Amino acid sequence: MNQSVKTIFWILLAALGAFAVAGIALNRGESINALWLITAAVCIYAIAYRFYAVWIAAKVLTVDETRATPAERLDNGRDFIPTNKWIVFGHHFAAIAGPGPLIGPTLAAQFGYLPGTLWILIGAVMGGAVQDMVTLFFSTRRNGRSLGQMARDEIGAIGGTAALVGTFMIMIILIAVLGLVVVNAMKHSPWATSTVAATIPIAMFVGLYMRNIRPGRVLEASAIGVALLLFSVFAGGWIDQHETLRTWFDHDGLPLAFAIIIYGFAAAVLPVWLLLAPRDYLSTFMKLGTILLLAVAIVILRPNIHMPAVTQFVDGTGPIFGGKLFPFVFITIACGAISGFHALISSGTTPKLLSNERDIRMIGYGGMLLESFVAIMAMIAATVLEPGVFFAINSPAGVVGKEAIDAVAKINSWGFAVTVEQMRQLATDMGESTLFARTGGAPSLAVGMASIFGSAFGREMLALWYHFAIMFEAIFILTTLDAGTRVGRFMLQDLLGNFNKKLGETSYPPSVIFTSGMVVAGWGYFLYIGVIDPNGGVNILWPLFGIANQMLAAIALCVGTGILVKSGKLRYAWVTGLPLAWLLVVTTTAAYEKIFSTDVRVGFFAAANDLADKLAAGVLPSEKAEVAPQLIFNQHLDAYLTMFFVVVLWVVIVDMLRLCMRYLNGKSVPKLSEAPHEPSRLVENWVRD
């Protein structure tokens, strides 16, 4: 393809993308086809990856493929291991793609399809993918150091220490929410639980196969692993139908929570090649395969979006969660557009596996674009449902009423038609007893996916597709939890290494066991309180998750901006500075509202005081009164944690600005902590006999 043909191709692609976005944004009053959303996403992602990401890699970061990475220089067979780029990509994508791109867009659909879709597209290209790529590059150049440690090394003791402590505490909250969502998805679902459990021994076998049995046979091991994984999916369906075996995997929330805590500890302690990397790599086949199948089904069906572009709930009166369109659509969607959690993976496990800097664009920028596409798929799956059905599934009983007839009347009063018989039939089709008040986003997403799959490949299999979607969500999320726990261990070791060098060694066994136990105990507590919450825990933890996640992204962009300025690249600082400025506005506003709002559905203190008054008046049901003191404590804890996170963020921001001013004025600043250049022996041109 000559240059002129390429130019014409990209011009036409840009025009098609602009036309699709205009169609999405300007359409009012009539339903729009889901293909418009897919077309806009594919065009925007392709152009951004081909041009913007290439420019950042070449001009802003100056990627050097002849430079040895930490995985090569510090190879220790446990955490630092040069790894095939596709396995690294699979691990990275599996680690970053958690509940955010699935649950966030589903919940945000209460505002309509338009606000969330625009933010997913713009936020990912200009913010999320930039953050992931920049953080991965700077961590790779600094021996795979964690985000918090990079902040301390590059910005200074005050801002760096605040970032180090703050990022670790935020990480604890994020992992707890990941665990809560996966528990809710697996609870009383023998199919999902048995399939997820089967991925653990399968991953360990594949890890041993590639390292000891048939070293370097990646495709061979992948084929075996994928075949076993698919078998486990079908076996899970068989187990679900077996009267005896299904009881082995049919559990309440607490037993599943403790099982996940044990798994998280094991994933953090065992060598990365044995469990974490192969499990995440294999899970990627399940994730991408399902998303690709969903995209194919949408192309075949060309379903219409039934949710309005913008609903009346942009004023903050939404039934699913309280809060106005700004800032809460940006907080709710989280990972689908930009996620601070990604920065922890990009400065945690991934740079310790990366064998060549040239793969940073594909893994960092490309991985985020792929996750953003998952968010678009989730938005489509949620909004192709009839709005009345969507709100019947996602609205809590406390808002619409416990009885089906009351819920239906309430939802119809909003202008969204739904009937009791319609919901009863839908539950029967999905193999469930009821779908009313199945809050949290995961059930409605599964219904949407099952409806699309059923229409494309056979409606007689709706129950099969529904439970497959639930299992898919559980696998999707759990891979983020295990990588997050290991990254949390790295972060705590970095923090303790400032006081005791031995505790800072990632391969020192006592440090590995101690820090892993501390991390698991931290997020395990928040997981526990989420599981015992009679409202499902999402209302307590998800807003805190969103705010903390976006604040973490702001810290990552702050560190990136500071390093760019210190590197003499002030003219490029806008690349990270613009999304940083936007996140500062969004997160500070959201935190203010969550702390000081008098609306009990928004403010943490307001909700705690309202619950305390009801407890004192004796008007709470017995089951809720029993856990009310714990819930009140947790609401206060959430409020104080939000305050702490805001303080940490602004301390880092102010210290970064102080650093930049000192550098620009020619005053002394901490030296760049970049590791010295060493030629790579993994690149053909540098290999010596």
Side-chain angles (χ1 to χ4, degrees):
M1 186 183 294
N2 59 41
Q3 189 60 43
S4 59
V5 174
K6 289 182 179 179
T7 302
I8 293 173
F9 169 79
W10 288 108
I11 291 175
L12 291 176
L13 193 70
L16 178 61
F19 183 73
V21 171
I24 295 170
L26 301 178
N27 182 75
R28 295 291 186 277
E30 59 185 55
S31 60
I32 185 173
N33 195 284
L35 281 179
W36 286 82
L37 277 67
I38 292 181
T39 301
V42 170
C43 292
I44 289 173
Y45 297 153
I47 292 169
Y49 184 76
R50 171 60 184 83
F51 295 101
Y52 193 44
V54 168
W55 177 78
I56 292 175
K59 297 294 185 181
V60 181
L61 302 179
T62 59
V63 167
D64 181 1
E65 67 178 39
T66 67
R67 185 186 184 112
T69 64
E72 178 183 352
R73 291 185 290 102
L74 306 176
D75 186 359
N76 60 11
R78 173 178 286 271
D79 298 313
F80 291 87
I81 305 173
T83 306
N84 180 278
K85 66 179 180 180
W86 295 111
I87 293 180
V88 179
F89 181 87
H91 156 72
H92 182 81
F93 175 73
I96 66 173
L102 293 175
I103 307 303
T106 304
L107 299 179
Q110 81 164 5
F111 294 129
Y113 71 81
L114 180 60
T117 298
L118 292 179
W119 173 235
I120 289 169
L121 296 177
I122 298 170
V125 167
M126 299 298 296
V130 171
Q131 175 213 239
D132 294 9
M133 182 179 177
V134 168
T135 303
L136 178 57
F137 175 81
F138 286 138
S139 179
T140 301
R141 285 286 177 94
R142 286 158 180 77
N143 291 334
R145 290 195 188 109
S146 67
L147 175 63
Q149 190 60 43
M150 283 197 295
R152 194 176 192 279
D153 293 341
E154 299 290 348
I155 295 178
I158 297 176
T161 301
L164 199 59
V165 175
T167 52
F168 177 73
M169 292 188 65
I170 289 174
M171 178 61 135
I172 295 297
I173 299 297
L174 300 187
I175 300 176
V177 176
L178 301 177
L180 178 62
V181 175
V182 80
V183 165
N184 287 340
M186 293 169 59
K187 188 164 53 178
H188 295 300
S189 179
W191 189 0
T193 304
S194 61
T195 304
V196 170
T199 62
I200 297 173
I202 291 172
M204 296 180 73
F205 171 74
V206 171
L208 289 168
Y209 192 93
M210 288 192 292
R211 187 173 178 86
N212 300 115
I213 302 174
R214 298 270 286 174
R217 303 284 183 169
V218 176
L219 291 178
E220 192 175 298
S222 300
I224 295 173
V226 170
L228 290 173
L229 191 62
L230 291 175
F231 174 76
S232 72
V233 173
F234 289 105
W238 177 72
I239 289 172
D240 191 42
Q241 300 299 319
H242 196 283
E243 291 186 5
T244 303
L245 292 179
R246 77 183 317 274
T247 60
W248 297 0
F249 299 97
D250 188 358
H251 299 290
D252 289 326
L254 274 179
L256 291 173
F258 288 125
I260 287 174
I261 288 171
I262 294 171
Y263 168 73
F265 179 80
V269 170
L270 293 175
V272 69
W273 60 266
L274 180 59
L275 176 59
L276 188 67
R279 188 186 184 284
D280 290 356
Y281 173 64
L282 291 176
S283 297
T284 299
F285 286 99
M286 174 66 71
K287 294 180 178 185
L288 296 184
T290 303
I291 292 300
L292 180 61
L293 188 64
L294 185 61
V296 169
I298 291 172
V299 171
I300 293 173
L301 292 175
R302 299 186 297 280
N304 287 331
I305 301 294
H306 292 113
M307 185 71 69
V310 180
T311 70
Q312 66 266 40
F313 300 129
V314 294
D315 63 356
T317 60
I320 300 175
F321 60 90
K324 296 181 179 180
L325 177 67
F326 179 85
F328 288 103
V329 70
F330 307 102
I331 295 301
T332 303
I333 285 179
C335 307
I338 182 169
S339 169
F341 180 81
H342 296 189
L344 302 183
I345 302 299
S346 295
S347 62
T349 51
T350 304
K352 297 176 176 64
L353 303 175
L354 192 72
S355 59
N356 197 296
E357 286 189 3
R358 66 168 172 261
D359 302 325
I360 287 176
R361 177 172 70 107
M362 179 188 77
I363 294 169
Y365 202 95
M368 177 59 212
L369 293 185
L370 193 57
E371 174 164 352
S372 182
F373 187 68
V374 172
I376 291 292
M377 292 293 102
M379 180 64 76
I380 292 173
T383 54
V384 295
L385 295 174
E386 292 290 343
V389 171
F390 172 84
F391 286 111
I393 297 174
N394 285 291
S395 300
V399 174
V400 296
K402 290 185 178 180
E403 299 299 324
I405 191 169
D406 296 328
V408 164
K410 183 70 172 179
I411 295 168
N412 275 276
S413 72
W414 298 334
F416 302 121
V418 66
T419 66
V420 174
E421 180 56 36
Q422 182 183 6
M423 290 300 298
R424 184 180 295 120
Q425 184 60 50
L426 184 64
T428 301
D429 291 342
M430 299 297 166
E432 294 289 311
S433 57
T434 181
L435 286 173
F436 279 105
R438 296 290 300 273
T439 58
S444 66
L445 176 61
V447 170
M449 291 175 63
S451 299
I452 294 172
F453 285 144
S455 298
F457 308 115
R459 294 195 64 82
E460 67 278 1
M461 299 172 60
L462 274 175
L464 178 72
W465 287 120
Y466 174 80
H467 288 94
F468 173 83
I470 289 290
M471 177 274 304
F472 158 76
E473 294 173 29
I475 287 181
F476 210 102
I477 296 164
L478 195 59
T479 52
T480 310
L481 181 144
D482 55 24
T485 302
R486 196 177 191 92
V487 171
R489 189 251 287 181
F490 291 149
M491 294 169 65
L492 185 55
Q493 287 179 305
D494 275 347
L495 178 62
L496 296 178
N498 292 300
F499 307 99
N500 185 300
K501 289 186 177 181
K502 291 294 291 183
L503 289 178
E505 295 179 10
T506 59
S507 299
Y508 181 51
S511 174
V512 170
I513 295 172
F514 172 71
T515 53
S516 297
M518 292 292 291
V519 171
V520 169
W523 62 256
Y525 168 75
F526 286 97
L527 173 59
Y528 170 77
I529 66 174
V531 170
I532 67 170
D533 179 9
N535 293 324
V538 173
N539 290 335
I540 287 181
L541 290 179
W542 192 269
L544 183 62
F545 168 87
I547 292 172
N549 192 34
Q550 302 303 85
M551 286 185 174
L552 188 54
I555 291 175
L557 289 167
C558 184
V559 173
T561 303
I563 294 177
L564 285 176
V565 172
K566 284 174 58 179
S567 302
K569 298 180 178 180
L570 177 63
R571 65 188 181 278
Y572 298 132
W574 62 267
V575 172
T576 52
L578 284 180
L580 169 60
W582 174 250
L583 286 181
L584 278 178
V585 174
V586 168
T587 54
T588 303
T589 304
Y592 179 86
E593 293 196 24
K594 293 302 295 184
I595 295 169
F596 297 108
S597 175
T598 57
D599 185 345
V600 297
R601 300 180 63 241
V602 177
F604 288 129
F605 285 126
N609 294 337
D610 178 69
L611 188 58
D613 292 342
K614 290 178 178 178
L615 180 64
V619 297
L620 293 176
S622 58
E623 67 276 6
K624 193 167 184 178
E626 185 179 346
V627 296
Q630 183 74 58
L631 298 179
I632 294 169
F633 171 80
N634 293 336
Q635 292 280 10
H636 282 108
L637 179 61
D638 286 353
Y640 290 121
L641 281 174
T642 302
M643 292 181 188
F644 173 76
F645 294 153
V646 171
V647 171
V648 166
L649 174 60
W650 278 99
V651 167
V652 176
I653 292 293
V654 170
D655 212 25
M656 185 273 290
L657 293 175
R658 178 194 62 81
L659 170 84
C660 293
M661 291 301 298
R662 288 184 62 86
Y663 176 82
L664 296 175
N665 290 327
K667 297 181 180 179
S668 62
V669 295
K671 294 182 179 180
L672 288 169
S673 59
E674 185 175 296
H677 179 284
E678 287 186 26
S680 173
R681 294 184 58 83
L682 300 180
V683 178
E684 184 177 356
N685 292 338
W686 287 90
V687 172
R688 298 292 183 268
D689 293 331

